[in-house]
Amino acid sequence: MLVVVTSITDHETFSDKAAHGCFFPASVYTQWYNTLMDMSAPIEEAKGVGPKTAEAFRQVNIRTLGDLLYCLPRVYENYQTAVPIADLRPGKAVVRGKISNLQATRTKRRNLTITEGTISDETGSIRTVWFNQPYRAKQFDPNREYYFSGKYEYKNGRYVLTAPSAQLAVDANAGESTGFQPIYSQKSAIKPEVFRKIINGLRDRFADIPDLLPFGEKIPAYIGPGARAEALYRSHFPESPEDAELGRQYLAYEEIFELILAAKLNKLENQRLKAMPIEFHRDFIQTIVGSLPFRLTNAQRQATWEILQDIGGDMPMNRLLQGDVGSGKTVVSAIAAAEATMNGYQTALLAPTAILATQHFESFVKLFSALQSKNHGLKLPRIALLTGATRAKDELKQQIEQGEIDLVIGTHALLTDNTHFKNLALCIIDEQHRFGVGQRQKLLLKSPEGTAPHLLSMTATPIPRSLQLTVFGDLDVSLLNELPPGRQPISTKILPELQQTDQLYPEMRKILAKKQQIYWICQAIEENNRNTVTSVKKQLTKIAQLFPEARVEMLHGRMSADDKDDVMDRFSRGQIDILVSTTVVEVGVDVPNANMIIIQDAENYGLAQLHQLRGRVGRGDQPASCFLLTTSEKPSRRLREMEKSTDGFHLAEVDLKIRGPGEIYGAMQHGELNLQVANLTDTTVITAASRHAEAFAKHPEDMIQYKELATRIRKYQQLTTLN
Ligand code: ADP
Ligand code: MG
């Protein structure tokens, strides 16, 4: 019999129950004294997994029994809540019935597959509809009963049950008394039902799942011996929502523990490396700061100070400079670069696009020549730009190797194997999340043999504090949490597309009359039958017709690097009035005369991305505006938050609440690393797991005893190394 525990207390936990031998059903205990399950055994060891299924699993990186067991249900359905069709109310609903009249059709305009059918029970019938799930038309046996769980809502003039999950009623009840069911997501070619069968086949072996985490004092009781086996069992075969939640809590703890342990071990490893100390020259720094064209903000001063402290030591700095768009990160990095030069060392600055590298190069040249003219004899960096388009690359690389260049600003072109430095001591990576781990690593390996460079990563993607601990646990963070004074607020407005003629075009004309510039953002480059969004190419034609007096051009990722540079260059010189572009302009671009941005199909973007895009305007001393065009009748919460706030940190917190951390984290790491179970708003779990991991990390030699843990965290370590 399963023991259902509704809440975890310190005194009575399900681990205690396992220890007393009453957690697993009897069928599971028949296996109890068998050897522990080898979590690294190939998936073929599971019943029902033949060579073909195994291959399909491997396609999605599921290779071992462990991988299989950690494919947790996407959601749980409670079929006990099923109601007779006659009693249905709008909202989330479960019904039990037979389905008939199944028919799949394709819409012409949007090329969607719509599958419709009629669900009936003794009390009545309803229509149901699925979008883009053509297999639904063939999934059902009209003579058998299924549970359908979906949203009952009013659409296009009638009530329908939208996109329900479905399950054979006999299956759903097999061996269960509660009707509470895990629903798996489709993996590769493996249907959820098949997946459920495979997991079911392993059911009797759950008690043999070995422990993973080290035990110690002061860990929550639900982490003790046997807890992992129980948690996985509860997740796959829950009796109630509470049961599933208990399972999730343990697994979340485990996930956070692993992440933080990986980060701590990285940090330890990093500290064992030797960096070249960049000595702090107080007078020199004061002279530089004193002759800047503006006063540094307090946040900039603080960050600069933290960085100069770090690089003065012989332990490599690993610091993230986090600041909202326009907060002035560049000048902070420039001061660090100048100090490196003063010490006779080289600095490399890596930027994700040629546009951005060029812009950095120009602003550094401007900054340093202004300093030079005020302070003759000041030793300032000799700067070079290295991008794919740089001519005479070989000569430049030779100069770099011989130490004739102090500061190289570049793109991926910097990372090639034949770029060598004489004495690279400081690396700066702008918009660091745009680079993969491998790329960052390549740059860091360019310092002299036996040394590691100091690393300053910069990002304008604000990371909520709760996420920071786990995602960037091995980094020190400096925060630019204030904007330079005098910035004009950006007014933001949600606008239904139908109103653009009346409300938007006149505003655009005003901007053009002031000789200011406009960005128009579209999601797609060209129309195709798979998307319904407006494309750059189509919009370009339309805008050129609407504003014949304006110089309108386009920018998108499929243009050659040279063409992109050329367009961006002319836009920043004011030779283009309206730039119709995809999100390639999202990162870092600084054109202070551009004061209006229009984002078409705004509903399709994430909050972070909208904020980045909006950050392209309001960079000068003129008021700026942002229009969020939408086709939906009721604007989403995201858009409304954009309208309300321009504070990137606030928006990041909101984003975390709306989307959950998995998606944000996933996006930040190019989907390489995604939190599966942990809910980062669950601060108690995080605090406990992080304390536990920290204590364990003090004795890294103990890892030898925890082979599975070591393997599991290696994957995180590779991803967070030198983030
Ligand atoms: P970001 O943090 O987005 O990279 P930048 O470094 O590009 O921001 O700075 C944005 C603009 O603000 C630049 O034009 C820069 O010269 C200016 N700036 C930076 N710091 C200050 C300051 N303390 N006071 C006034 N303007 C500043
Ligand atoms: Mg920047």
Side-chain angles (χ1 to χ4, degrees):
M1 214 208 73
L2 267 179
V3 180
V4 177
V5 182
T6 45
S7 71
I8 297 178
T9 68
D10 273 351
H11 306 293
E12 192 194 36
T13 69
F14 53 75
S15 305
D16 288 344
K17 295 224 159 74
H20 299 133
C22 62
F23 175 73
F24 288 102
S27 64
V28 176
Y29 279 115
T30 55
Q31 310 276 328
W32 181 252
Y33 288 106
N34 286 357
T35 46
L36 291 179
M37 183 189 285
D38 177 5
M39 300 287 271
S40 65
I43 32 176
E44 278 95 337
E45 294 221 344
K47 252 186 271 169
V49 180
K52 230 168 128 190
T53 314
E55 192 42 46
F57 272 126
R58 278 192 277 270
Q59 296 279 318
V60 283
N61 252 328
I62 298 168
R63 297 164 190 284
T64 63
L65 289 185
D67 295 342
L68 206 56
L69 293 173
Y70 275 85
C71 292
L72 302 173
R74 180 170 55 85
V75 287
Y76 298 92
E77 297 286 9
N78 191 351
Y79 292 125
Q80 271 183 323
T81 62
V83 292
I85 285 179
D87 296 347
L88 263 185
R89 295 277 163 275
K92 208 171 152 19
V94 182
V95 295
R96 178 184 170 142
K98 293 180 181 169
I99 187 163
S100 56
N101 300 330
L102 275 164
Q103 197 174 14
T105 46
R106 291 205 137 200
T107 60
K108 275 204 207 84
R109 203 173 96 70
R110 296 167 68 193
N111 203 25
L112 270 174
T113 317
I114 298 185
T115 313
E116 289 179 281
T118 308
I119 301 172
S120 320
D121 66 9
E122 312 82 68
T123 68
S125 12
I126 43 164
R127 297 290 290 165
T128 184
V129 56
W130 289 277
F131 302 100
N132 278 339
Q133 302 182 10
Y135 66 92
R136 295 289 191 187
K138 300 206 181 85
Q139 186 189 353
F140 303 102
D141 178 343
N143 298 314
R144 304 183 78 177
E145 275 191 302
Y146 296 83
Y147 283 107
F148 297 92
S149 170
K151 199 169 168 198
Y152 191 55
E153 56 188 344
Y154 193 70
K155 260 193 172 170
N156 301 330
R158 57 177 191 179
Y159 277 99
V160 290
L161 186 66
T162 310
S165 72
Q167 189 171 6
L168 210 51
V170 280
D171 260 14
N173 288 335
E176 308 283 343
S177 51
T178 63
F180 186 66
Q181 285 285 317
I183 306 292
Y184 297 93
S185 45
Q186 171 116 22
K187 282 168 204 69
S188 180
I190 297 143
K191 288 221 186 74
E193 304 87 73
V194 177
F195 187 78
R196 182 205 307 275
K197 263 202 192 115
I198 294 170
I199 292 287
N200 256 314
L202 285 167
R203 190 174 181 140
D204 287 350
R205 294 174 62 190
F206 269 66
D208 299 334
I209 293 173
D211 287 318
L212 177 77
L213 298 182
F215 307 123
E217 283 165 52
K218 288 195 180 162
I219 56 166
Y222 60 92
I223 301 306
R228 182 205 205 186
E230 292 173 25
L232 285 169
Y233 192 87
R234 278 173 202 273
S235 302
H236 288 289
F237 312 108
E239 288 270 292
S240 65
E242 293 77 23
D243 211 16
E245 175 55 22
L246 283 177
R248 196 199 64 83
Q249 264 194 49
Y250 167 88
L251 294 169
Y253 184 99
E254 198 180 89
E255 188 169 39
I256 300 289
F257 177 92
E258 286 175 351
L259 260 175
I260 293 176
L261 181 59
K264 296 286 167 216
L265 294 178
N266 275 344
K267 194 164 181 167
L268 282 178
E269 250 166 57
N270 194 34
Q271 285 170 350
R272 263 185 236 121
L273 303 171
K274 280 269 173 273
M276 295 183 278
I278 298 171
E279 198 190 322
F280 178 38
H281 296 86
R282 182 177 292 274
D283 294 347
F284 174 72
I285 297 293
Q286 269 170 358
T287 310
I288 292 188
V289 171
S291 34
L292 288 171
F294 41 71
R295 236 182 92 82
L296 288 182
T297 63
N298 286 335
Q300 284 172 318
R301 279 170 198 277
Q302 175 72 24
T304 307
W305 169 248
E306 286 164 357
I307 291 164
L308 294 174
Q309 285 280 303
D310 277 5
I311 62 179
D314 64 356
M315 223 147 64
M317 170 173 76
N318 191 12
R319 187 171 280 279
L320 179 70
L321 178 58
Q322 223 191 111
D324 210 343
V325 277
S327 59
K329 294 182 286 292
T330 316
V331 65
V332 173
S333 70
I335 296 170
E339 186 63 285
T341 304
M342 183 67 178
N343 279 263
Y345 294 127
Q346 286 172 303
T347 301
L349 192 163
L350 184 62
T353 62
I355 297 171
L356 203 53
T358 311
Q359 217 164 67
H360 275 316
F361 175 72
E362 281 165 5
S363 50
F364 274 67
V365 167
K366 209 160 85 192
L367 184 71
F368 288 132
S369 50
L371 291 180
Q372 194 89 69
S373 65
K374 283 192 201 163
N375 307 277
H376 294 286
L378 205 61
K379 187 173 183 312
L380 288 168
R382 291 162 292 180
I383 316 178
L385 175 68
L386 179 58
T387 70
T390 303
R391 281 171 245 295
K393 270 201 206 71
D394 292 340
E395 267 172 72
L396 177 56
K397 286 184 179 176
Q398 215 162 14
Q399 288 179 304
I400 297 172
E401 185 161 3
Q402 271 149 24
E404 288 158 19
I405 303 287
D406 303 301
L407 169 58
V408 194
I409 298 174
T411 54
H412 304 88
L414 255 178
L415 303 176
T416 49
D417 291 337
N418 65 357
T419 317
H420 302 285
F421 287 79
K422 184 170 172 223
N423 56 7
L424 178 65
L426 173 64
C427 293
I428 302 166
I429 303 186
D430 196 14
E431 307 294 344
Q432 62 99 26
H433 59 287
R434 293 264 157 170
F435 293 94
V437 183
Q439 292 171 318
R440 283 177 270 180
Q441 192 81 40
K442 263 196 173 147
L443 182 65
L444 298 174
L445 288 173
K446 294 192 182 293
S447 63
E449 194 71 38
T451 71
H454 296 288
L455 173 62
L456 177 64
S457 311
M458 303 198 284
T459 181
T461 307
I463 299 152
R465 276 175 52 82
S466 50
L467 217 55
Q468 211 161 76
L469 182 66
T470 39
V471 182
F472 294 116
D474 53 342
L475 289 187
D476 299 310
V477 177
S478 293
L479 204 59
L480 296 187
N481 54 2
E482 61 183 313
L483 292 179
R487 289 285 157 81
Q488 295 283 336
I490 307 171
S491 77
T492 304
K493 194 167 163 34
I494 301 172
L495 193 64
E497 259 194 40
L498 291 172
Q499 292 173 23
Q500 52 184 328
T501 316
D502 294 348
Q503 297 206 20
L504 177 58
Y505 300 155
E507 294 299 319
M508 289 174 73
R509 295 216 164 79
K510 280 187 214 156
I511 292 283
L512 295 173
K514 285 193 274 185
K515 298 269 170 271
Q516 295 177 4
Q517 295 154 282
I518 301 173
Y519 293 100
W520 188 296
I521 308 297
C522 301
Q523 210 184 9
I525 299 174
E526 49 202 334
E527 312 284 294
N528 67 36
N529 50 15
R530 250 176 303 127
N531 62 45
T532 57
V533 298
T534 309
S535 72
V536 167
K537 288 185 180 166
K538 188 167 154 196
Q539 199 59 29
L540 179 79
T541 320
K542 184 171 165 192
I543 299 217
Q545 278 165 0
L546 279 167
F547 302 94
E549 70 287 2
R551 293 160 297 178
V552 187
E553 297 207 27
M554 67 174 175
L555 183 73
H556 60 75
R558 259 190 255 142
M559 290 161 54
S560 76
D562 279 356
D563 287 351
K564 272 192 284 194
D565 286 351
D566 174 58
V567 168
M568 213 45 231
D569 188 50
R570 284 184 296 119
F571 186 66
S572 62
R573 284 174 212 289
Q575 295 168 4
I576 296 173
D577 302 308
I578 305 178
L579 185 63
V580 182
S581 170
T582 58
T583 54
V584 286
V585 294
E586 168 189 335
V587 183
V589 176
D590 188 26
V591 182
N593 191 46
N595 284 315
M596 179 181 284
I597 185 163
I598 297 127
I599 305 173
Q600 189 139 26
D601 295 309
E603 297 283 354
N604 296 349
Y605 298 90
L607 201 42
Q609 204 172 17
L610 289 171
H611 179 65
Q612 280 290 316
L613 284 168
R614 179 171 58 183
R616 295 312 106 221
V617 300
R619 304 176 77 85
D621 48 11
Q622 293 295 311
S625 55
C626 168
F627 287 91
L628 304 169
L629 289 189
T630 170
T631 48
S632 89
E633 279 158 33
K634 213 174 139 233
S636 64
R637 164 126 187 248
R638 279 204 301 280
L639 299 194
R640 284 183 280 124
E641 293 288 347
M642 280 288 291
E643 221 175 25
K644 271 193 274 178
S645 171
T646 51
D647 176 346
F649 281 91
H650 168 75
L651 292 174
E653 296 286 355
V654 172
D655 206 17
L656 183 66
K657 283 207 192 94
I658 304 180
R659 288 199 296 159
E663 253 181 274
I664 300 174
Y665 194 16
M668 271 165 26
Q669 298 283 338
H670 298 278
E672 288 171 282
L673 182 58
N674 209 335
L675 286 182
Q676 304 292 332
V677 257
N679 176 359
L680 289 180
T681 42
D682 192 352
T683 43
T684 5
V685 171
I686 294 179
T687 315
S690 97
R691 216 187 297 129
H692 187 183
E694 251 171 79
F696 184 66
K698 292 211 176 91
H699 304 280
E701 65 280 2
D702 290 350
M703 281 301 284
I704 299 169
Q705 296 170 49
Y706 296 91
K707 286 211 179 61
E708 193 193 344
L709 183 63
T711 323
R712 285 172 61 103
I713 67 166
R714 203 164 301 135
K715 118 189 140 196
Y716 292 114
Q717 260 192 295
Q718 279 162 0
L719 286 168
T720 59
T721 301
L722 306 167
N723 234 315

